[in-house]
């Protein structure tokens, strides 16, 4: 005859599983980080706000938005472009920042003060919010959704953004995104595509193919920056122009 059964110690048998360790950052910021790292394969920098290291996959040409809009025709349709406040961030081939001073000299722009900056290896770029499905609006990281009709609308795939007339002010993002100066994609990168193939490079000069040419892009942007500088100078009162000499 079997002995009497022993009582089961309820405390030795957990009724609920132990909590799992989180796989990574959660919330909107974590989703944005995963989009860049997993969908695009772009490295990110730890911390908040989310930033992207420059010089790894691309360099950045930081120019006034008006000058950048005039240069959009020099870019391939898939070449990523971002807006931040009144500035436009043009993604160019890695190593382009080192070539810019010599390129401006070669184009006879070296002696002039131009409002354009090249960000290369060691630099950082604020990560624009990823594009959102049609009918929604992008918002800065960590904020709630913006009602329909506010915020920037990402362009449809395969479309090109027409450059406005030189005298026209460039369109700016509407709603909280634009007013706070958060970076947004004007032409977002497409997951699954080799971004480097669409970026302007110095090696594309004279190739005769469809590769974007950094020389023509820089010359266009420099020309527009110089024109805007002259217009601002002519619009100033004579006394202020004399002081600025």
């Amino acid at each position: 005859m079997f002995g009497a059964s022993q009582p089961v110690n309820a405390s030795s048998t957990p009724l609920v599983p132990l909590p799992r360790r989180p796989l990574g950052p959660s919330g909107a910021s974590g989703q944005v980080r995963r989009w860049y790292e997993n969908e695009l394969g772009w490295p990110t920098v730890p911390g908040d706000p989310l930033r992207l290291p420059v010089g790894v996959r691309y360099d950045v040409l930081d120019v006034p938005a008006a000058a950048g809009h005039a240069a959009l025709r020099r870019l391939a349709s898939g070449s990523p472009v971002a807006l931040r406040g009144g500035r436009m961030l043009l993604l160019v081939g890695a190593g382009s920042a080192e070539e810019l001073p010599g390129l401006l000299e070669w184009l006879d722009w070296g002696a002039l003060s131009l409002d354009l900056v090249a960000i290369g290896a060691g630099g950082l770029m604020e990560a624009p919010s990823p594009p959102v499905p049609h009918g929604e609006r992008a918002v800065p990281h960590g904020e709630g959704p913006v009602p329909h009709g506010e915020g920037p609308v990402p362009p449809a795939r395969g479309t090109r953004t027409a450059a406005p007339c030189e005298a026209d002010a460039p369109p700016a993002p509407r709603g909280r995104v634009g007013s706070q100066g958060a970076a947004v994609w004007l032409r977002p990168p497409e997951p699954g595509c080799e971004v480097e193939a669409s970026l302007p490079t110095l090696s594309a000069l004279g190739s005769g193919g469809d590769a974007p040419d950094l020389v023509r892009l820089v010359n266009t942007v420099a020309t527009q920056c110089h024109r805007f500088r002259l217009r601002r100078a002519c619009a100033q009162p004579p006394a202020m122009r004399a002081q600025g000499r």
Side-chain angles (χ1 to χ4, degrees):
M1 182 175 180
F2 296 100
S5 60
Q6 298 295 325
V8 177
N9 186 359
S11 62
S12 63
T13 306
L15 300 180
V16 294
L18 296 176
R20 297 181 179 180
R21 297 181 60 183
L23 299 177
S26 59
S29 179
Q31 293 176 2
V32 172
R33 188 180 299 275
R34 287 191 291 271
W35 185 78
Y36 279 103
E37 294 180 349
N38 299 339
E39 299 293 333
L40 296 179
W42 290 7
T44 62
V45 176
D48 192 20
L50 183 62
R51 294 175 297 174
L52 309 173
V54 181
V56 181
R57 303 281 300 273
Y58 51 83
D59 286 357
V60 175
L61 193 60
D62 184 339
V63 302
H69 275 279
L72 288 179
R73 65 181 181 275
R74 298 297 185 186
L75 299 174
S77 59
S79 187
V81 176
L83 290 173
R84 188 179 190 278
R87 309 289 296 183
M88 183 175 289
L89 307 177
L90 307 172
L91 270 61
V92 294
S96 299
E98 298 179 2
E99 302 286 352
L100 183 63
L103 183 55
L104 290 174
E105 289 285 347
W106 185 68
L107 292 170
D108 294 330
W109 291 112
L112 298 177
S113 176
L114 299 174
D115 186 14
L116 57 91
V117 179
I119 307 172
L124 296 174
M125 170 186 171
E126 178 186 340
S129 297
V132 295
H134 183 70
E136 300 180 14
R137 296 297 180 266
V139 296
H141 307 157
E143 292 195 7
V146 175
H148 185 80
E150 298 183 6
V153 182
R157 287 190 177 187
T159 59
R160 296 180 61 90
T161 304
C165 299
E166 296 175 2
D168 297 337
R174 296 173 295 170
R176 290 180 293 171
V177 174
S179 61
Q180 293 186 358
V184 295
W185 285 115
L186 177 63
R187 291 182 179 179
E190 296 185 8
C193 299
E194 288 295 332
V195 176
E196 289 86 348
S198 68
L199 300 181
T201 61
L202 192 62
S203 60
L205 178 63
S207 62
D210 296 331
D213 183 3
L214 181 65
V215 175
R216 292 185 176 89
L217 174 64
V218 170
N219 190 48
T220 301
V221 171
T223 301
Q224 296 302 319
C225 287
H226 183 55
R227 288 179 178 177
F228 297 146
R229 180 172 176 267
L230 293 178
R231 289 174 182 172
R232 287 194 299 266
C234 294
Q236 292 177 350
M240 296 185 63
R241 291 203 298 266
Q243 293 177 1
R245 294 177 181 175

